Every structure is written in C-alpha cells, then in structure tokens.
Amino acid sequence: MQKKELKKKLCKIDNEEDPLFTIKLRDIVIDCSSEDITQEFFSILDNNNNSIKLRFAAFYAIYIYYRRYEHHSLLFSLVDKYSNIFNEFQLNDVVLSQYYRLKFLETNDEFAIINAIKFAKRAAENLNDNAGVLQNFAGMVASALEAGREESKEYLMEAIQCMDKAILVFHDYPKHYCTKGRLLSWTGDYESAKKYIRKAIDLESTDSRDSLLRISQYNDYYIDIKMRESLEKLSAHLLDAQVTMNRINEYTQKNSSKIFEKLDTMQARYLELLAFFSAVIALILTSVNLVNNYEDFNAVAGLIMVMGGVLIIGFCALRCLIIFNKDNISWKRYLSVFCVAVLLIGLGYCLGNFQFWRSIWNIK
C-alpha cells in the first residue's frame, strides 16, 4: 500500500470518538503487509508535521496489528516509546490496558493486572458506545480471572453487560461471543459458556491471515472451560464422598461404643455367674462337711443359713462394685436383697441356738 493512499485512509478515520474507529482501523490493518506496518505506518507516526490525530491513528493501527498477531515484545517497545505522546486520547487507555495485561502474563505482577483493568474500565466509561473498547474491558476481566485473580470478580457482571451491549452493536463479531463465554464460565453457567465459544468458532472467518490463530485461541478457551467444569464436578463428588465417609465413621464409632458396652456387660455377667457358682459350690461342700461332722441338725442348719446370708451379702457387694459407674442401678432391689440376707442370717442364728432358746422357754 502506498504511503499517500494509506495516509489518505487514515485521515478519513482520525476521530477516536467515532464508534467505528477501531473497526475501520482493523480493516485497514488486515489488508496491510508487515512492510506496510514497519515502513508506512511508522513513517506517519514519526513525522511531527502530521496532525496529532493522524499520528495517533497510525499508532493505534500499529498496536492493533501487534495485538492481533501476538507480537508482544514489539507491542511493549511501541507503548514504551510512544504512549506518553498520546495521553490526551481516550483510546490510549486501551493500549495501556493491553500493555499491562501482557506484563502481568509475563511477570505475574499483581499491580500490572490492577492497572490493566483500571485503564480498560476508564476507557469503557469514556467510550461506552465503542464495541471494541467494551470488548477490551470485558476481555481484561476474563484474562484476570483466568490468571487466578479472584478480586476481579467484582467486575464480572459489569463486564458481561458490556459484552451484551457490544453484541447488540456487532452481532456477527466472533470475539464478542468468545469473551462472553469466558465470562459466563466464571458464573458457573458452563453450558452457556461453551455455547458462546462454539458460536465464536462458527462465526470466525477462515480467509484472513490471523483467523487460524484466533480459532486456536477459541479452542484453548473451550478446553479450559471444560477442564474447570470437570474439576468442579470432581470437587463436588469428592466433597460428597468425604461427607459419606464422615457419616460412616460416625456410625462406626457410635456402633463400636455400643459393641464395647455390650462386651463389658457380658464380661460383668460372666464374672457374676462365675462368682455365684463358685460360692454355691463352696456352700454345698461346706454344708456336706458340716452334716458329716456334726449331729446337731439345728446347729448345722442354722450355720448353713448364716453362710447363705453372708454369701448373698457378698454377692450383692460384688455386683455393686462391677456396675458402680452405671446410671441404671436399682438401689431399692439391692436394699431388699440385703434385708433378706440379714433376715436369713438372723434366722440361722436363732435356729443354731435353738437349744439355748428352748432352755430359756423351759425356765419360763
């Protein structure tokens, strides 16, 4: 493209407040070769005799070319050298926002992404009818979220509204749909997000030089959204599994305590039965020996009754010691058994001393 022809085209679109300013510049850039950028555009930009508006149009056109073809180092050099000249232009905020976004991706400097969103938001507020500027702000928020900057969520709904407005203006521009899909994925609406990304791929032209690059980017965003969706589902399943495991552990611990409690009760029962039968056997053997060695039946019967009462008292004491820490002890029952044992001892004592009592009665 000849310099005069290029300059003539740029002079026609040197008003940045025109909503189609960025679109017209993009159309010019698409038709240009790399030689046009490095020679013709820079010659217009470096010529101080040209108007500041014409020089800015050349500057912004070069920026569009570097951004579309991912020439990051060249974009850095362009902004570092020329951006201060065009501080009065509102679209310069768009250039600076992209500059800081790329700086953040390279250095992960949180101040860089904060500056990127700040400049993009200011440009969107000043040029709110420019679809390209709205796209820049929304894309900046999406990039910040994808880079892990959770604080950028405060701009999420505002960015989605900007994309809705941009789509109304240019309903067949693929990048608008891609950006909206990227933003929707951060609201959790993955189905709608994937639908918008697929629409962007379908709308993308294949006859331009950078179309394959953009389609590749759209597919990268689509894969990233599907991966985050899968991770979220996996996290939900893991959380459910953790809740289930906690419930199983609680149930196991609860039942384990009941099982151990039953084992303790059974152990106490076995001890009681063992003590009881041991005492009964000892009582029987002692009774047999007494019967064989003594002829006085009353004395023997009374002694056996006394030993039986003592045996009952000892058994009650053992039972109380075994279940001392239990809350359901029936003290009335044990008191009744104790009274019966004392009564049995008393009767045994009286029966064993039957001759003594009979002598007293004869005296009377």
Side-chain angles (χ1 to χ4, degrees):
M1 186 180 296
Q2 294 183 354
K3 181 177 179 181
K4 291 183 178 180
E5 183 181 353
L6 178 60
K7 185 174 181 180
K8 185 177 180 181
K9 286 185 176 183
L10 290 179
C11 286
K12 292 181 179 179
I13 54 172
D14 60 357
N15 181 14
E16 67 161 341
E17 295 182 359
D18 181 0
L20 300 178
F21 178 79
T22 56
I23 304 299
K24 293 176 181 178
L25 280 180
R26 183 200 67 188
D27 294 339
I28 293 176
V29 168
I30 290 175
D31 295 332
C32 292
S33 64
S34 59
E35 290 77 12
D36 292 330
I37 296 297
T38 56
Q39 296 176 12
E40 307 301 336
F41 279 93
F42 271 105
S43 64
I44 296 173
L45 175 59
D46 290 328
N47 190 346
N48 293 330
N49 294 324
N50 292 324
S51 67
I52 190 66
K53 289 186 177 181
L54 179 60
R55 294 179 65 194
F56 178 75
F59 168 75
Y60 202 82
I62 298 170
Y63 152 76
I64 291 175
Y65 180 84
Y66 287 161
R67 178 180 57 80
R68 287 178 70 88
Y69 292 100
E70 302 288 334
H71 298 319
H72 296 171
S73 60
L74 295 177
L75 190 147
F76 290 152
S77 299
L78 176 72
V79 175
D80 290 336
K81 185 176 181 179
Y82 295 100
S83 64
N84 290 333
I85 302 174
F86 306 110
N87 285 331
E88 61 183 276
F89 292 88
Q90 295 171 339
L91 281 176
N92 192 47
D93 289 339
V94 174
V95 178
L96 290 173
S97 67
Q98 288 290 339
Y99 172 83
Y100 282 111
R101 180 184 76 87
L102 296 175
K103 284 290 186 182
F104 170 74
L105 294 178
E106 287 195 356
T107 63
N108 201 31
D109 182 2
E110 62 176 320
F111 294 104
I113 194 62
I114 291 173
N115 285 330
I117 294 178
K118 179 186 73 174
F119 285 114
K121 190 174 188 301
R122 189 168 70 181
E125 291 172 348
N126 294 330
L127 299 169
N128 56 16
D129 57 348
N130 188 311
V133 175
L134 298 177
Q135 156 67 38
N136 179 71
F137 168 63
M140 206 62 61
V141 174
S143 297
L145 291 171
E146 290 162 357
R149 308 306 303 182
E150 291 292 327
E151 67 274 11
S152 301
K153 283 188 175 180
E154 64 177 294
Y155 303 108
L156 181 58
M157 298 312 299
E158 184 179 356
I160 292 175
Q161 292 172 0
C162 286
M163 290 320 305
D164 290 336
K165 188 174 181 180
I167 290 173
L168 288 176
V169 178
F170 295 103
H171 60 275
D172 59 348
Y173 186 55
K175 196 168 185 179
H176 292 342
Y177 292 96
C178 176
T179 303
K180 184 172 180 180
R182 293 165 62 194
L183 293 169
L184 286 176
S185 69
W186 293 100
T187 66
D189 189 359
Y190 292 106
E191 290 303 319
S192 296
K194 291 185 291 186
K195 181 186 74 174
Y196 277 97
I197 299 291
R198 289 194 295 266
K199 187 174 180 66
I201 296 173
D202 294 337
L203 289 174
E204 188 61 56
S205 172
T206 57
D207 56 0
S208 60
R209 289 179 298 167
D210 61 339
S211 59
L212 293 179
L213 178 60
R214 291 197 299 275
I215 290 175
S216 176
Q217 290 176 338
Y218 299 159
N219 280 300
D220 288 341
Y221 293 136
Y222 187 84
I223 293 172
D224 179 69
I225 290 171
K226 288 192 67 175
M227 183 181 66
R228 284 192 281 114
E229 180 185 18
S230 299
L231 288 175
E232 187 170 308
K233 289 181 179 179
L234 178 61
S235 298
H237 289 318
L238 290 175
L239 182 60
D240 291 340
Q242 184 64 41
V243 171
T244 303
M245 288 298 298
N246 291 337
R247 291 178 179 175
I248 293 174
N249 289 333
E250 291 177 1
Y251 179 78
T252 303
Q253 292 177 357
K254 184 177 180 180
N255 285 331
S256 297
S257 61
K258 289 183 178 179
I259 292 172
F260 285 119
E261 184 178 349
K262 288 182 179 179
L263 289 174
D264 291 339
T265 303
M266 292 176 63
Q267 184 180 14
R269 294 288 185 185
Y270 288 141
L271 289 174
E272 292 172 7
L273 289 174
L274 180 63
F276 175 75
F277 284 114
S278 298
V280 169
I281 292 173
L283 179 62
I284 292 173
L285 293 175
T286 303
S287 300
V288 171
N289 289 329
L290 289 175
V291 171
N292 291 331
N293 295 323
Y294 293 93
E295 296 181 354
D296 189 350
F297 175 79
N298 292 334
V300 173
L303 185 58
I304 291 173
M305 292 177 65
V306 171
M307 288 191 299
V310 173
L311 175 63
I312 293 174
I313 292 175
F315 184 73
C316 288
L318 175 64
R319 173 73 175 172
C320 291
L321 289 174
I322 292 176
I323 61 172
F324 181 76
N325 59 341
K326 302 296 179 64
D327 297 330
N328 56 350
I329 300 177
S330 179
W331 294 107
K332 291 183 179 180
R333 181 186 300 176
Y334 287 103
L335 183 60
S336 300
V337 173
F338 180 79
C339 293
V340 170
V342 172
L343 180 61
L344 187 62
I345 293 173
L347 290 175
Y349 176 78
C350 293
L351 182 61
N353 293 281
F354 179 74
Q355 296 296 335
F356 171 74
W357 296 111
R358 189 172 60 178
S359 62
I360 294 177
W361 292 339
N362 288 336
I363 292 174
K364 289 182 178 180

